[in-house]
Amino acid sequence: MQANIKTTIAALALCGASLSALAATAAPAPAPAAAAPAAAISPAKQALIDKILKLWNIDSIGQSMLQAPVADAVQQARAMLQGRASVEKRDAAMTDIVAEARKFMEEATPITRASADKLIPTTVAPILAERFNEEELRQLVAILESPVKKKFEALVPEMQRKLGEGVAADSRPVIDAKMKGLTEKIGLRLRAAVTP
C-alpha cells in the first residue's frame, strides 16, 4: 500500500512537472504596446470565419496540449515501477494511476475548452480576418467540408497504427535493448538519489 501511494504521488508529481513545463512553453506572448485598432469585419466575412472555426474544431487544442504530458507521466510511472514492484502491486498501482490520469483529463478538458472558446474570438479570429479575404475564406470552408479531407482524416488513426506496428516490429530488437539500458540507468540513478 505504501509503495502504491509513493508511486501515485511520484506519477502525479511528474504530471504536475510536465504540465508546469507545458504552461511555461505555452504562455502567451506579450501584446504589442500600441496595437492598431482592428478594421470592421463585414457580417459575411464574420460568418465565414465562424464557420471555419466550427469546422476546424480548434477549441480542442487544450485537450491536445494536456494529453502529451499526462501520457508521459503515466509512461514514466510505468517505467519507474518496472522491476521495482511485484506484478500484482505494479498492476494495481498502474490501474490507480491510469484512473487518476483519466479523472484529471475529464476535469481539465472542460476548463481548457472554455478557455479556448473565450480566447478564440480575440486570438485566432482576428488573424483569419486580417490575412484572408472572403474568397479565400470560402475556399477554406470548402477544404474543411471536403469529403476527401474527411475520408483522409478518418483513415489517419489506421495509417498511424499500421506504421507504428511496422516501426515497432522493425526496430524492436535495437530499441528494446536500448530501452532496457535506459531503464537500468534510470533505476540506478533513482536508487542512488534515494539511498541515504
Side-chain angles (χ1 to χ4, degrees):
M1 183 69 171
Q2 188 77 9
N4 286 351
I5 293 170
K6 287 181 182 176
T7 303
T8 303
I9 291 169
L12 292 175
L14 286 170
C15 183
S18 296
L19 291 174
S20 296
L22 176 66
T25 60
I41 300 171
S42 73
K45 190 171 188 178
Q46 186 62 52
L48 288 166
I49 290 169
D50 293 342
K51 188 167 190 171
I52 288 167
L53 293 172
K54 184 176 181 180
L55 290 168
W56 188 11
N57 204 16
I58 193 171
D59 63 345
S60 65
I61 190 169
Q63 181 178 3
S64 300
M65 290 171 59
L66 291 172
Q67 284 173 336
V70 170
D72 286 347
V74 170
Q75 187 60 32
Q76 289 172 11
R78 181 174 282 119
M80 288 174 60
L81 288 170
Q82 196 67 35
R84 292 183 183 83
S86 68
V87 174
E88 296 82 20
K89 286 184 178 183
R90 182 190 67 214
D91 290 349
M94 285 310 302
T95 299
D96 291 345
I97 290 167
V98 169
E100 287 297 327
R102 265 196 203 106
K103 181 180 175 188
F104 172 85
M105 288 300 295
E106 288 169 2
E107 292 172 355
T109 297
I111 296 167
T112 59
R113 187 173 296 273
S115 178
D117 287 341
K118 177 178 74 174
L119 295 172
I120 286 170
T122 59
T123 57
V124 178
I127 294 171
L128 291 172
E130 177 187 327
R131 302 207 184 144
F132 292 92
N133 62 39
E134 283 188 42
E135 180 53 34
E136 292 169 328
L137 292 170
R138 279 189 206 81
Q139 290 175 31
L140 277 174
V141 168
I143 291 168
L144 292 170
E145 290 180 329
S146 164
V148 173
K149 177 188 174 286
K150 290 176 183 172
K151 183 177 180 179
F152 175 78
E153 287 175 342
L155 291 174
V156 167
E158 179 184 347
M159 293 185 291
Q160 288 175 333
R161 182 180 51 78
K162 290 273 191 191
L163 177 60
E165 290 169 356
V167 169
D170 184 57
S171 63
R172 179 168 284 127
V174 175
I175 296 300
D176 281 354
K178 288 185 175 293
M179 185 60 77
K180 183 178 179 187
L182 175 62
T183 302
E184 289 171 0
K185 287 177 184 175
I186 290 172
L188 289 171
R189 184 66 183 102
L190 288 171
R191 279 191 286 281
V194 298
T195 302

